Amino acid sequence: MRRRKMTVKDYLNQAFYLDQRINSKLSILTSLREMIIKTTKILEGSAVIHTQNNNAEEDIIAKIAEMQDEIKKDIEELINRKKEIMLSIHNVNNPEYQTLLELRYICFNSWEEIADQMHCTVSNVFKVHSKALRNVVILKLDS
C-alpha cells in the first residue's frame, strides 16, 4: 500500500495531534491515580491478605510510572516538533501569515479565535490561511 505524501497542513498539524495524545495520556494517568486511591481505601477497609493488596498497588504504581515516562517523552517530542514548525513559520516572509500560522499551529486556536485576534472574519482567515500555507517550506532541525 502506498503512503500519501505529507502535505504542509499535515506537517503543521503534527504538534496538535501530539498535544492531544499527551492530554489523553494525562487523563489516563489521572484515572490510574484515582484507582490507586480507591484500591487503597477498599483494601484498608477489608480483611484481605496483605500480599495480594501490595501486588495490586504495586501493579498500578508501575503503570503510573510507565505512563509518566511516556508523557515526558511525548512532551520532549512536542517541544522539538513545535521548534521545527516555528522555524518553518518564521521563514514565511509575510508577518500576517506568520501570525495566523502561529495562532493555529503553535497555539492551537480555533478559527473563530484567530479571526477575533486578527480583527477580521472567519472567511477572511480561511483565505489568508490558504495563501499562508502556500508560503510554508518544511524545515527540519538537526537531531
Side-chain angles (χ1 to χ4, degrees):
M1 185 153 95
R2 275 176 65 187
R3 293 183 74 190
R4 72 178 180 88
K5 185 180 175 189
M6 181 183 287
T7 65
V8 168
K9 196 171 176 180
D10 293 335
Y11 172 76
L12 295 173
N13 272 317
Q14 289 179 96
F16 174 78
Y17 293 118
L18 188 50
D19 187 66
Q20 291 297 313
R21 203 165 67 225
I22 290 167
N23 289 337
S24 174
K25 288 179 181 180
L26 287 170
S27 293
I28 293 167
L29 185 60
T30 299
S31 176
L32 288 171
R33 287 180 175 146
E34 289 171 0
M35 197 179 304
I36 192 94
I37 291 167
K38 289 176 188 176
T39 305
T40 303
K41 286 181 181 179
I42 290 169
L43 296 176
E44 285 174 352
S46 66
V48 179
I49 301 171
H50 285 294
T51 11
Q52 291 175 344
N53 299 350
N54 290 341
N55 288 341
E57 287 178 7
E58 287 172 11
D59 288 346
I60 295 170
I61 291 168
K63 286 183 170 103
I64 288 171
E66 186 179 305
M67 185 64 63
Q68 287 172 325
D69 288 342
E70 283 183 36
I71 292 168
K72 285 178 190 172
K73 288 177 187 171
D74 286 346
I75 289 171
E76 287 175 22
E77 185 179 342
L78 177 60
I79 290 166
N80 290 333
R81 193 67 44 96
K82 278 190 170 189
K83 283 181 185 175
E84 277 187 0
I85 292 168
M86 287 181 72
L87 179 63
S88 294
I89 290 171
H90 289 172
N91 277 294
V92 172
N93 288 328
N94 182 315
E96 181 184 28
Y97 295 172
Q98 287 180 359
T99 300
L100 188 148
L101 293 169
E102 287 174 353
L103 290 171
R104 183 67 180 175
Y105 298 106
I106 302 299
C107 301
F108 312 131
N109 288 340
S110 70
W111 296 115
E112 292 77 14
E113 291 169 326
I114 295 168
D116 186 54
Q117 290 180 47
M118 295 184 74
H119 309 290
C120 63
T121 65
V122 173
S123 66
N124 191 50
V125 168
F126 289 145
K127 289 174 189 170
V128 174
H129 177 255
S130 180
K131 292 175 186 174
L133 288 177
R134 288 192 290 267
N135 285 271
V136 173
V137 175
I138 297 173
L139 301 172
K140 296 278 189 180
L141 293 175
D142 295 329
S143 300

